[in-house]
Amino acid sequence: MELSGAQILLECLKREGVEVVFGFPGGAVIDIYNELPNASFKHVLVRHEQAAIHAADGYARASGKVGCCLVTSGPGATNTVTGIATAYMDSIPVVILTGQVPTPLIGNDAFQEVDIVGITRPCTKHNYLVKDVKNLAHVIRQAFFIARSGRPGPVLVDLPKDVMQTKTEFVWPEDVHMRSYNPNYKPHAGQIRKVAQLIRDAERPLIYAGGGVISSHAHEALTWLAQNLHIPVTATLMGLGCFPGNDKLWLGMLGMHGTYAANMAINNADFVLAVGARFDDRVTGKVSTFAPKATLVHVDIDPTSIQKNVSVHVPLVADCRLALEALKEELEPSLAVYDFEEGHRPWLGKVAAWAKEHPLTYKPSAETIKPQHVVEVLHELTHGDAIIATEVGQNQMWAAQFYKFNKPNAFLSSGGLGTMGYGFPAAIGAQFACPDRMVIDVAGDGSIQMNIQELATSVANKLGIKIVILNNGFLGMVRQWQELFYKRNYCETCMDAQPDFVKLAEAYGAKGFRISKTAELRRVLQEALDTPGTVIVDVLVEREENVYPMVPAGASLTDMLLV
Amino acid sequence: MRHTLSVTVENEPGVLSRVAGLFSGRGFNIESLNVGPTLDPGASVMTVTTEGDEQIIEQIVKQLRKLITVIKVVDLTEMKSVLREMILLKVNACDANRAEILRTVDIFRCKVVDVSIDEITIEATGNHEKIEAIIGLLNRFGIKEISRSGMVAMKRSMQG
């Protein structure tokens, strides 16, 4: 049977298992929208295209599946670029479908025409312009395959209007074969034996885990290795949740706002297993003094991550889960021979002493609400089970530090790109992925305003998302840098003109709460969490609170500013 | 150090800008670039000469391999290979210089492909050093125009 391009597209999305598409219609995609009533998936109408891509990204992070969004040509497409770059930096599988002007008009500066394939070339894993409807099914199949395989990432497919209208025979490609794309998953057996021996020989071992552990579902294997071999674990922002936050081997996050124990451990370890992490500058600080005493092993599926920022001793290009499972298999028999617990006892004692010496902390106050305390109370009230999305800045760091994640796929944050305005739309995506979970966006008063219009989307879809604004009336992280490194020159960081967030929530049909006293924090937060539907909680916090520890940019990890 | 990379790519629109964009976006340097068809109509070969230390070259090779449309990357600098560039030079040739220019053409086994009253156009082929030497020698007569093909290269059959 002959189908139109639009019909073929919907059929392909169905076969790819797409459950929800976040989108916004327009002239170039009107043929696709015309077919939507027959679609197998739900379409969620956002209020700005940036939110469509962030929601698809949040859906992908929370579910582990490929997220999908659909926007029109020109401005619709360009509005997704920030979100595409966000997903690209954090290796999140998303397929972006953009409308395009009809093929005969391409290149003529037609109305709402933009070369989105050209614009997104450096921030997508791959992208396509479909010029012939006969290639459509094939391209969609490849797009999903590329997005989810290897090191995941965003793939954009540009769909000219006439291609969506043209009819052709629909043929579903049963499998995908690409001679130029074959990611390597299996770890090299010789390298595994080498790493296993290094682990046996190590006296002061440490696991440094990143987002790759979460995207490859390696958390169980990682937890097994750490707990059975008695190796302490630290993680990057992207890796939070890959290891139980309540385990005694957990050191907390490392890097610029990492814990004292984690940064001291990486500085003193004689063996570091870096897995699914990429030695980002926010993690390493000054590269030449990073893990100076350690034999470094780096497990990553992307060969370009290895030897890029830091020179490692043993590279291992493989899927993190397969590599850690191979290590488990190799090391399990050693448990009968080696007493890892006894061997690592002095090291674990040292690590515990660091954690005791400078734990994550803040100075409590009777007068003002401490933002860290808000996150602690949230953790308590949700029993650590909520999905936490964050915006970017201080709110993000406090959420990362003080919410103890026990499970993967529960912390949604723009790690690599640091995109303000990410959290709320990502929370919307996560709520569609996990309708029965509590989803909270920990926000700042600056970031939340970057995609505040999505209140309409959340209310329209009756989503129970709770937005907790840590409101300090500042762009807090920039203000912190100005305070510490720019002689308190608070240039353009004071947000003195603010909306009334409670009234704003009400205007959108959501519910609003305001908390200004520590004494009422727990009660009102609980009430907000118990309130059905979309809720904003405007928490007026200490205005000039800083995130500590802090390693100044470019300094060594041991040069921490502490509370 | 200068490296010559042979990059086999899918012959499809946009592949050149993917490769070029990779170099510019990551701050790598392209010294010369040559693109042409291969025996397989679905594939093209790009010969890229670039410069960098070992770590940078390793990154360039890996980043190129990561591009979805790149089929194969070979660093020809690491093996025995034949490297050739073709160059067209338009040189000032007054009566006093003409003989000397033609002698140079002879020594380097170049070809004269066009002549006029006061100019000679020369075609030369060779590796990087030879081409640089020809330019160096003809410079004193005044080179009016130059057009270079960029390096093309091939692995030698006997690697031993």
Side-chain angles (χ1 to χ4, degrees):
Chain A
M1 199 179 72
E2 290 216 320
L3 297 179
S4 71
Q7 290 166 331
I8 290 174
L9 175 68
L10 297 195
E11 185 58 30
C12 290
L13 297 184
K14 178 181 166 188
R15 294 186 189 218
E16 288 293 348
V18 171
E19 298 166 322
V20 56
V21 170
F22 303 90
F24 200 95
V29 285
I30 202 161
D31 294 278
I32 303 170
Y33 275 85
N34 195 43
E35 293 294 334
L36 267 193
N38 309 317
S40 58
F41 51 81
K42 184 177 172 53
H43 177 272
V44 177
L45 176 65
V46 294
R47 296 304 187 268
H48 186 297
E49 288 91 349
Q50 187 187 353
I53 170 76
H54 287 327
D57 170 314
Y59 170 89
R61 292 191 206 222
S63 68
K65 300 178 199 163
V66 181
C68 187
C69 69
L70 168 63
V71 298
T72 193
S73 64
T78 52
N79 275 344
T80 64
V81 172
T82 300
I84 295 173
T86 304
Y88 185 64
M89 285 289 261
D90 290 345
S91 308
I92 306 301
V94 196
V95 171
I96 305 101
L97 305 167
T98 54
Q100 182 56 278
V101 301
T103 45
L105 293 184
I106 290 178
N108 288 6
D109 301 324
F111 177 64
Q112 294 196 327
E113 180 189 355
V114 77
D115 174 15
I116 196 65
V117 168
I119 289 172
T120 59
R121 209 170 270 136
C123 62
T124 50
K125 187 171 171 186
H126 196 50
N127 58 18
Y128 296 90
L129 166 64
V130 183
K131 280 186 158 169
D132 185 341
V133 69
K134 290 195 185 71
N135 298 331
L136 180 61
H138 193 65
V139 166
I140 298 293
R141 192 92 165 93
Q142 282 193 358
F144 277 83
F145 173 69
I146 291 171
R148 72 164 75 90
S149 58
R151 178 178 178 176
V155 179
L156 181 140
V157 184
D158 203 16
L159 303 163
K161 189 176 166 95
D162 57 328
V163 173
M164 291 298 97
Q165 293 166 334
T166 311
K167 286 191 167 184
T168 189
E169 196 68 36
F170 171 64
V171 186
W172 176 246
E174 280 310 324
D175 39 60
V176 187
H177 173 74
M178 298 171 72
R179 63 173 167 176
S180 59
Y181 177 68
N182 296 294
N184 176 52
Y185 290 93
K186 272 184 70 179
H188 185 273
Q191 294 291 80
I192 288 289
R193 281 194 295 277
K194 203 164 158 186
V195 176
Q197 192 52 45
L198 287 170
I199 293 177
R200 288 185 203 103
D201 294 343
E203 290 177 5
R204 304 186 307 280
L206 178 68
I207 295 174
Y208 146 44
V213 174
I214 292 177
S215 57
S216 69
H217 310 286
H219 54 280
E220 280 173 13
L222 181 130
T223 306
W224 186 95
L225 283 174
Q227 289 177 342
N228 285 279
L229 306 172
H230 302 274
I231 302 176
V233 180
T234 180
T236 66
L237 186 78
M238 293 298 300
L240 294 179
C242 71
F243 187 76
N246 55 12
D247 194 291
K248 63 181 193 319
L249 290 165
W250 172 244
L251 302 183
M253 187 168 72
L254 82 164
M256 181 174 273
H257 293 296
T259 64
Y260 181 76
N263 286 343
M264 291 303 284
I266 204 113
N267 193 58
N268 286 283
D270 69 347
F271 169 85
V272 171
L273 178 63
V275 51
R278 59 186 179 87
F279 297 86
D280 176 81
D281 56 280
R282 286 295 188 267
V283 160
T284 60
K286 189 176 175 185
V287 172
S288 58
T289 58
F290 181 76
K293 299 161 194 163
T295 303
L296 277 171
V297 174
H298 190 185
V299 183
D300 204 289
I301 193 150
D302 180 2
T304 66
S305 286
I306 291 170
Q307 316 288 27
K308 183 173 70 181
N309 298 335
V310 168
S311 163
V312 297
H313 303 92
V314 186
L316 188 54
V317 176
D319 175 78
C320 292
R321 182 174 63 82
L322 295 183
L324 295 184
E325 283 174 358
L327 279 175
K328 176 185 171 186
E329 201 171 306
E330 186 70 26
L331 285 160
E332 205 160 10
S334 303
L335 293 178
V337 189
Y338 290 78
D339 189 342
F340 288 100
E341 188 173 12
E342 189 51 39
H344 298 165
R345 196 181 295 279
W347 169 237
L348 290 172
K350 218 170 188 173
V351 170
W354 285 321
K356 209 173 155 191
E357 199 181 331
H358 294 289
L360 274 179
T361 188
Y362 56 92
K363 293 195 184 91
S365 157
E367 292 106 62
T368 54
I369 303 174
K370 291 289 181 153
Q372 302 94 329
H373 183 51
V374 180
V375 178
E376 277 181 336
V377 174
L378 269 181
H379 180 258
E380 250 180 77
L381 298 180
T382 56
H383 313 289
D385 269 341
I387 292 176
I388 303 289
T390 76
E391 304 295 337
V392 165
Q394 290 185 318
N395 61 81
Q396 179 185 32
M397 289 302 120
W398 285 319
Q401 289 179 331
F402 289 91
Y403 201 96
K404 309 292 177 203
F405 295 91
N406 289 323
K407 289 190 186 122
N409 306 97
F411 181 61
L412 321 177
S413 197
S414 170
L417 198 68
T419 307
M420 287 171 74
Y422 167 81
F424 183 30
I428 291 175
Q431 190 74 83
F432 277 101
C434 310
D436 302 327
R437 297 273 299 273
M438 169 68 78
V439 180
I440 299 172
D441 176 31
V442 175
D445 52 293
S447 298
I448 190 62
Q449 294 186 69
M450 285 210 181
N451 270 315
I452 192 90
Q453 77 287 344
E454 296 310 313
L455 278 169
T457 310
S458 189
V459 170
N461 289 280
K462 301 186 174 59
L463 303 182
I465 294 167
K466 315 301 172 210
I467 302 167
V468 178
I469 302 175
L470 305 176
N471 187 344
N472 54 16
F474 277 115
L475 297 173
M477 186 59 93
V478 184
R479 186 210 56 75
Q480 174 171 342
W481 282 53
Q482 289 172 331
E483 176 190 331
L484 297 174
F485 313 118
Y486 293 86
K487 299 181 181 156
R488 301 178 69 96
N489 179 17
Y490 292 172
C491 184
E492 298 293 331
T493 41
C494 182
M495 304 285 268
D496 34 18
Q498 268 191 347
D500 180 329
F501 287 109
V502 173
K503 281 189 186 157
L504 188 76
E506 286 162 3
Y508 273 100
K511 186 97 177 84
F513 293 89
R514 180 166 296 116
I515 310 179
S516 52
K517 293 190 189 71
T518 307
E520 60 191 11
L521 177 67
R522 187 176 303 264
R523 182 183 55 77
V524 182
L525 264 185
Q526 182 68 64
E527 194 187 337
L529 295 179
D530 291 342
T531 303
T534 307
V535 174
I536 285 188
V537 192
D538 184 20
V539 191
L540 307 180
V541 297
E542 167 82 51
R543 293 203 66 198
E544 297 192 38
E545 186 71 11
N546 286 341
V547 180
Y548 290 119
M550 178 175 194
V551 178
S556 301
L557 285 190
T558 47
D559 297 337
M560 281 169 275
L561 308 174
L562 298 159
V563 175
Chain B
M1 186 185 161
R2 178 179 298 112
H3 282 246
T4 304
L5 309 177
S6 175
V7 186
T8 311
V9 298
E10 293 287 358
N11 187 11
E12 54 184 64
V15 64
L16 177 60
S17 57
R18 284 183 205 281
V19 171
L22 169 71
F23 276 81
S24 63
R26 294 192 178 268
F28 304 140
N29 179 38
I30 298 183
E31 211 162 85
S32 85
L33 172 68
N34 178 289
V35 194
T38 63
L39 290 175
D40 172 0
S44 301
V45 163
M46 296 187 182
T47 310
V48 187
T49 51
T50 180
E51 216 173 309
D53 60 27
E54 218 171 293
Q55 197 212 349
I56 288 176
I57 298 294
E58 184 184 331
Q59 264 300 308
I60 292 174
V61 170
K62 285 173 168 179
Q63 293 285 358
L64 282 169
R65 286 188 180 136
K66 190 172 159 179
L67 292 177
I68 304 287
T69 39
V70 168
I71 301 166
K72 196 168 96 176
V73 183
V74 179
D75 185 352
L76 291 170
T77 315
E78 285 173 356
M79 46 188 69
K80 289 187 176 166
S81 51
V82 186
L83 307 172
R84 289 293 180 269
E85 186 177 7
M86 193 181 98
I87 183 172
L88 295 173
L89 289 150
K90 196 176 279 169
V91 187
N92 275 329
C94 57
D95 291 343
N97 292 338
R98 195 171 297 258
E100 181 58 25
I101 293 170
L102 291 175
R103 214 170 1 253
T104 310
V105 165
D106 246 14
I107 293 168
F108 282 96
R109 282 178 287 165
C110 312
K111 267 199 283 187
V112 173
V113 289
D114 190 40
V115 196
S116 72
I117 300 169
D118 54 355
E119 291 171 357
I120 296 182
T121 302
I122 297 163
E123 172 196 317
T125 314
N127 61 19
H128 186 78
E129 288 70 27
K130 178 175 166 184
I131 296 293
E132 290 299 320
I134 294 168
I135 295 171
L137 279 171
L138 294 176
N139 229 345
R140 63 197 157 116
F141 305 114
I143 299 175
K144 296 177 95 171
E145 204 180 334
I146 209 163
S147 179
R148 302 175 70 155
S149 67
M151 200 68 75
V152 292
M154 195 170 276
K155 192 174 106 177
R156 284 188 191 273
S157 304
M158 304 280 280
Q159 287 292 313

